[in-house]
């Protein structure tokens, strides 16, 4: 069970296989062996999506930006930083208390409660400080009992009711925004990880692009599924330049393989076939191309049932051609063990074709080169062996031809002798009595 892989995303491996791979040198700096080969770092490419999932985009010259953000104030409060959220939280209560405290002070001033010993509207409110304290007690429902509204002032009674309603609205809005911000599924992405590198290698006889995803929590990601897009600039047939053209990368949407059970790290596989944008790219073209692969993992958080999305990206310099990921899942006696120290580790596969998937398919479809269907680095040596075999076959054919020529010449000599004897006998007989000799008899 440890080494059987019945599914394309299976990552179960035996402990013995894992220990064998642990001693292999890894050029990307994540392995355990000695690195003798240094990967050349090309010129750094600008990312559309950073490795942490944040989009590297800035919006400028937006008309009516403030009005649009205020129109959706709840989403704005959820998206802003915590420092601004706490500032809004404090100001919303302080400003409401000050506003209604000022209203109660104006009511007391208009009814003469500030100058008289006996208050007509609000008892024991003879200054702005007392009015502010009464506003706080009313909105927070503290009610010490020292300050209260009398029945002889309808305006003060109305303001108490109105402040209570406004206070409930502020509480609902602010508390709701804070709770939504705290339960934001975006923070779940901190425990969802992508491998630092993507790899290209053979799997099930096909050239595949692979990367790895993992879940650091024991809580599951419900209905988890993956998808990927290729971002690359191109020019249309009409001459229009598209700076970031988005092309979908198939990871098994039609067959349902894109839906994964993310309990342990899983390797996502994209088969480079006729529909793949990498079908005509070989190793050199892929390393020198400028593109970006955006990978997305979506699912529902098990605790809150809210949908979360985790993103990352790979540029051409982060795709290792001819490498595979080391196994991280090992079968123990009564359980499975996941070693996240191997999550980014890769090992080199020397027999990976260096040509494109299209060239590989053409070589396989050609019967004359069926034996050389894999374009390995030692393809020249294989062609040399084939040439030697062809020469040996030609030599054998020449020997066979020479043997056949000798036999034919001997048979011709025999026939010539037999013909001369029959001709001599025919000269003795008369013409009328000369027998007709058939060619088979000769």
């Amino acid at each position: 069970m440890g080494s059987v892989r019945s599914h394309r995303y299976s990552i179960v491996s035996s402990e013995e296989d894992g220990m064998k791979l642990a001693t292999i040198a890894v050029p990307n700096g994540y392995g355990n062996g000695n690195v003798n080969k240094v990967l050349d770092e090309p010129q750094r490419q600008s990312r559309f999506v950073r490795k942490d999932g944040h989009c590297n985009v800035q919006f400028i010259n937006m008309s009516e930006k403030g009005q649009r953000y205020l129109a959706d104030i709840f989403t704005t409060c959820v998206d802003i930083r915590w420092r601004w959220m706490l500032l809004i939280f404090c100001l919303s209560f302080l400003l409401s208390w000050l506003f209604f405290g000022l209203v109660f002070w104006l009511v007391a001033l208009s009814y003469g409660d500030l100058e008289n010993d006996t208050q007509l509207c609000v008892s024991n409110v003879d200054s702005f400080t007392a009015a502010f304290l009464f506003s706080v007690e009313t909105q927070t429902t503290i009610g010490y009992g020292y300050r209260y509204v009398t029945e002889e002032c309808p305006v003060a009674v109305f303001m108490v009711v109105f402040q209570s309603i406004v206070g409930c609205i502020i509480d609902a809005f602010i508390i709701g925004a804070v709770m939504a911000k705290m339960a934001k599924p975006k923070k779940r992405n901190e425990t969802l990880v992508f491998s630092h590198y993507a790899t290209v290698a053979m799997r099930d006889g096909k050239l595949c692009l692979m990367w790895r995803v993992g879940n650091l929590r024991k809580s599951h990601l419900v209905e988890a599924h993956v998808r990927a897009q290729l971002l690359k600039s191109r020019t249309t047939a009409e001459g229009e330049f598209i700076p970031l053209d988005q092309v979908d990368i198939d990871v098994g949407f039609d067959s349902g393989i894109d839906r994964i059970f993310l309990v342990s790290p899983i390797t996502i596989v994209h088969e480079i076939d006729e529909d793949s944008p990498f079908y005509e790219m070989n190793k050199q073209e892929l390393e020198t191309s400028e593109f970006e692969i955006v990978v997305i993992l979506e699912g529902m958080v098990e605790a809150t049932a809210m949908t979360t999305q985790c993103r990352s990206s790979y540029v051409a310099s982060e795709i290792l051609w001819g490498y595979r990921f080391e196994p991280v899942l090992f079968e123990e006696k009564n359980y499975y063990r996941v070693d996240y120290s191997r999550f980014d580790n890769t090992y080199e596969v020397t027999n990976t074709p260096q040509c494109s998937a299209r060239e590989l398919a053409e070589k396989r479809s050609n019967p004359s080169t069926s034996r050389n269907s894999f374009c390995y680095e030692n393809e020249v040596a294989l062609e040399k062996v084939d040439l030697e075999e062809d020469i040996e076959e030609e030599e054998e054919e020449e020997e066979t031809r020479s043997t056949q020529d000798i036999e034919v010449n001997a048979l011709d000599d025999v026939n010539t002798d037999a013909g001369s004897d029959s001709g001599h006998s025919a000269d003795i007989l008369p013409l009328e009595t000369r027998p007709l000799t058939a060619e088979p008899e000769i």
Side-chain angles (χ1 to χ4, degrees), residues 272-336:
I272 304 179
D273 52 11
E274 295 83 356
D275 299 328
S276 173
F278 308 102
Y279 187 61
E280 298 182 356
M281 283 189 183
N282 55 24
K283 180 181 178 181
Q284 295 180 353
E285 292 176 351
L286 186 139
E287 291 176 350
T288 57
S289 299
E290 291 188 1
F291 61 85
E292 183 176 355
I293 301 175
V294 179
V295 292
I296 301 172
L297 171 63
E298 292 180 341
M300 290 190 300
V301 181
E302 189 178 30
T304 61
M306 299 179 68
T307 303
T308 183
Q309 183 183 89
C310 184
R311 298 177 297 269
S312 186
S313 67
Y314 301 99
V315 294
S317 60
E318 296 172 345
I319 299 178
L320 306 178
W321 190 293
Y323 288 83
R324 290 198 187 108
F325 289 104
E326 291 187 8
V328 295
L329 183 64
F330 304 98
E331 185 178 3
E332 301 293 341
K333 185 176 181 180
N334 297 321
Y335 63 95
Y336 292 93

Side-chain angles (χ1 to χ4, degrees), residues 7 125 133 141 147 160 172 186 216 223-224 255 264 344 369 418:
H7 192 272
V125 173
L133 292 176
T141 65
R147 301 177 182 88
V160 168
K186 188 177 180 179
L216 302 181
E223 295 292 334
S255 58
S264 61
D344 288 313
T369 58

Side-chain angles (χ1 to χ4, degrees), residues 44-328:
R44 191 168 184 178
Q45 177 183 346
S46 298
R47 290 182 177 273
F48 187 73
V49 178
R50 293 196 289 264
K51 297 296 287 185
D52 58 1
H54 293 86
C55 296
N56 189 21
V57 180
Q58 295 182 0
F59 301 102
I60 60 174
N61 299 329
M62 295 176 58
S63 61
E64 302 179 353
K65 177 180 178 180
Q67 297 180 5
R68 296 177 186 274
Y69 275 61
L70 288 176
D72 189 12
I73 186 62
F74 185 82
T75 305
T76 303
C77 292
V78 174
D79 290 341
I80 60 176
R81 296 180 178 272
W82 272 107
R83 62 176 71 96
W84 299 111
M85 185 63 204
L86 294 177
L87 180 62
I88 293 175
F89 181 88
C90 297
L91 288 178
S92 61
F93 288 105
L94 287 175
L95 293 178
S96 63
W97 295 339
L98 288 172
F99 173 76
F100 286 102
L102 178 62
V103 171
F104 286 119
W105 180 79
L106 292 175
V107 170
L109 180 62
S110 62
Y111 280 88
D113 293 343
L114 301 179
E115 299 175 356
N116 300 328
D117 296 336
T118 303
Q119 287 77 25
L120 181 63
C121 291
V122 183
S123 178
N124 299 320
V125 173
D126 53 1
S127 63
F128 179 77
T129 304
F132 175 76
L133 292 176
F134 176 74
S135 174
V136 173
E137 294 175 9
T138 302
Q139 187 166 334
T140 57
T141 65
I142 294 176
Y144 290 113
Y146 182 70
R147 301 177 182 88
Y148 56 91
V149 179
T150 63
E151 300 176 357
E152 300 177 359
C153 186
V155 177
V157 174
F158 172 77
M159 292 307 302
V160 168
V161 175
F162 183 70
Q163 184 180 7
S164 299
I165 296 174
V166 172
C168 291
I169 295 175
I170 294 176
D171 292 342
F173 180 84
I174 297 299
I175 295 175
V178 171
M179 291 300 298
K181 192 172 182 63
M182 292 178 61
K184 198 174 181 180
K186 188 177 180 179
K187 296 301 180 182
R188 181 66 171 86
N189 299 345
E190 301 296 333
T191 53
L192 298 174
V193 292
F194 288 92
S195 59
H196 187 76
Y197 288 91
T199 63
V200 176
M202 297 295 295
R203 174 171 284 198
D204 297 331
K206 297 180 180 180
L207 202 62
C208 297
L209 172 68
M210 295 171 283
W211 63 90
R212 180 176 278 175
V213 296
N215 181 15
L216 302 181
R217 287 186 179 273
K218 290 186 176 181
S219 59
H220 297 176
L221 197 65
V222 183
E223 295 292 334
H225 59 278
V226 293
R227 56 192 180 96
Q229 286 188 335
L230 174 67
L231 305 181
K232 186 178 181 181
S233 303
R234 72 179 184 92
T235 304
T236 62
E238 295 78 13
E240 179 186 3
F241 177 74
I242 303 177
L244 287 177
D245 186 29
Q246 300 184 9
V247 180
D248 187 64
I249 298 177
D250 184 23
V251 289
F253 177 78
D254 296 333
S255 58
I257 306 179
D258 63 322
R259 294 184 288 273
I260 58 177
F261 183 51
L262 192 58
V263 178
S264 61
I266 293 179
T267 301
I268 309 301
V269 179
H270 164 64
E271 294 182 359
I272 304 179
D273 52 11
E274 295 83 356
D275 299 328
S276 173
F278 308 102
Y279 187 61
E280 298 182 356
M281 283 189 183
N282 55 24
K283 180 181 178 181
Q284 295 180 353
E285 292 176 351
L286 186 139
E287 291 176 350
T288 57
S289 299
E290 291 188 1
F291 61 85
E292 183 176 355
I293 301 175
V294 179
V295 292
I296 301 172
L297 171 63
E298 292 180 341
M300 290 190 300
V301 181
E302 189 178 30
T304 61
M306 299 179 68
T307 303
T308 183
Q309 183 183 89
C310 184
R311 298 177 297 269
S312 186
S313 67
Y314 301 99
V315 294
S317 60
E318 296 172 345
I319 299 178
L320 306 178
W321 190 293
Y323 288 83
R324 290 198 187 108
F325 289 104
E326 291 187 8
V328 295

